[in-house]
Amino acid sequence: MKHLLKLLDLTKEEIIELLDLADKLKYESKNGIEHPILKGKTLGMIFQKSSTRTRVSFETGMYQLGGYPLFLSSNDLQIGRGEPVQDTARVLSRYIDGIMIRTFEQKEVEDLAEYGSIPIINGLTDFCHPCQVLADLQTIREYKTGFDGLKMCYIGDGNNMANSLIVGGLKVGMKVSVACPEEYEPAKEVLDFAKQYDCFELTTDPKQAAKDADILFTDVWASMGQEEESVKRRTVFQGVYQINDEIMAVAKPDAMVQHCLPAHRGEEITEAVLEAHANEIFDEAENRLHAQKAVLVKLMAD
């Protein structure tokens, strides 16, 4: 494992290894055990999309690991003024020890990895969100103790979260059921991957997807960069693609709920459901820190 570009690149064993390391680092943090594993290392963090959890968790994680996080806004970099990504990759590779990038096009992340000589971490693209889903899997395992026999359900837009949840869920051995409106389905590359699994279901019916689910996921109807579609999307999704009491009633009685945040209460999830499962959702948010520290250690430690 040289980079974290997308979960499609990882084996089940590599994912489990990251989760085990994340658990270890979390235990040490909670018990006051310092782990300056990346002392003297610098992580460049390129942001072309705004962020709360990604920026704070990566900055804090690098600090706790003894390294230095360097915030690089696209407004301040020459990449924001048209410098080719391959040139940026070559230059930054001579200054720093790793790059985390949060951007729009998956190709930009892949190009950084191709032309650079340091580890590249995908902090989010329009195609996938691997760091978030590693944190999701860590949280599921904490609450459910494992993955075997579990059913994961995702309701909403077939966006980057849906793409990564499908891949991550199937690779670790869960059943995965996804409910999306027509024309808002996950990426073809992901659906082609999922075809090899008998335990994958794609439907337009949220209740069918949620039936007997152990874990329910959702996300905003319009992601960053899709704001101009928000009115149209609200018309398509409203009243159907929402985690609410009716959906919870067909899931298992002890089903947990996850949301990558930020949440639009009253749209993709009701206020009542979010608050009833707040502990799970904010444990999930905290685990961004621990899962990403595992990625940083795996990729950047000597």
Side-chain angles (χ1 to χ4, degrees), residues 4 6 9 13 20 26 46-47 105 114 118 149 155-156 181 185 220 245 283 293:
L4 178 60
K6 55 187 182 296
D9 297 335
E13 292 72 25
D20 290 344
K26 182 174 182 177
I46 300 174
F47 285 88
E105 294 186 16
E114 179 180 353
I118 56 177
I155 296 172
E185 297 178 346
V220 294
D245 289 342
D283 281 346
K293 284 169 68 176

Side-chain angles (χ1 to χ4, degrees), residues 103-136:
T103 188
F104 293 89
E105 294 186 16
Q106 180 69 18
K107 185 178 185 301
E108 192 162 6
V109 178
E110 306 278 349
D111 285 349
L112 280 174
E114 179 180 353
Y115 291 100
S117 56
I118 56 177
I120 306 300
I121 300 169
N122 181 348
L124 176 141
T125 63
D126 289 346
F127 175 67
C128 63
H129 200 351
C131 289
Q132 176 66 54
V133 172
L134 287 173
D136 298 339

Side-chain angles (χ1 to χ4, degrees), residues 157-218:
D157 183 31
N159 59 13
N160 48 13
M161 277 301 302
N163 290 336
S164 290
L165 284 168
I166 291 167
V167 175
L170 291 174
K171 284 199 172 191
V172 299
M174 288 189 285
K175 301 175 183 177
V176 178
S177 186
V178 174
C180 300
E182 292 180 2
E183 301 183 12
Y184 293 90
E185 297 178 346
K188 181 180 183 301
E189 181 180 355
V190 170
L191 295 180
D192 287 344
F193 161 82
K195 286 178 182 176
Q196 65 186 293
Y197 292 88
D198 294 333
C199 53
F200 175 72
E201 175 187 36
L202 177 65
T203 177
T204 58
D205 184 350
K207 287 187 178 179
Q208 178 180 332
K211 182 174 174 54
D212 297 324
D214 298 280
I215 310 103
L216 296 161
F217 279 88
T218 190

Side-chain angles (χ1 to χ4, degrees), residues 236-252:
V236 173
F237 286 81
Q238 196 161 26
V240 180
Y241 296 91
Q242 178 189 73
I243 297 183
N244 51 36
D245 289 342
E246 291 183 10
I247 292 295
M248 296 305 300
V250 300
K252 287 187 178 175

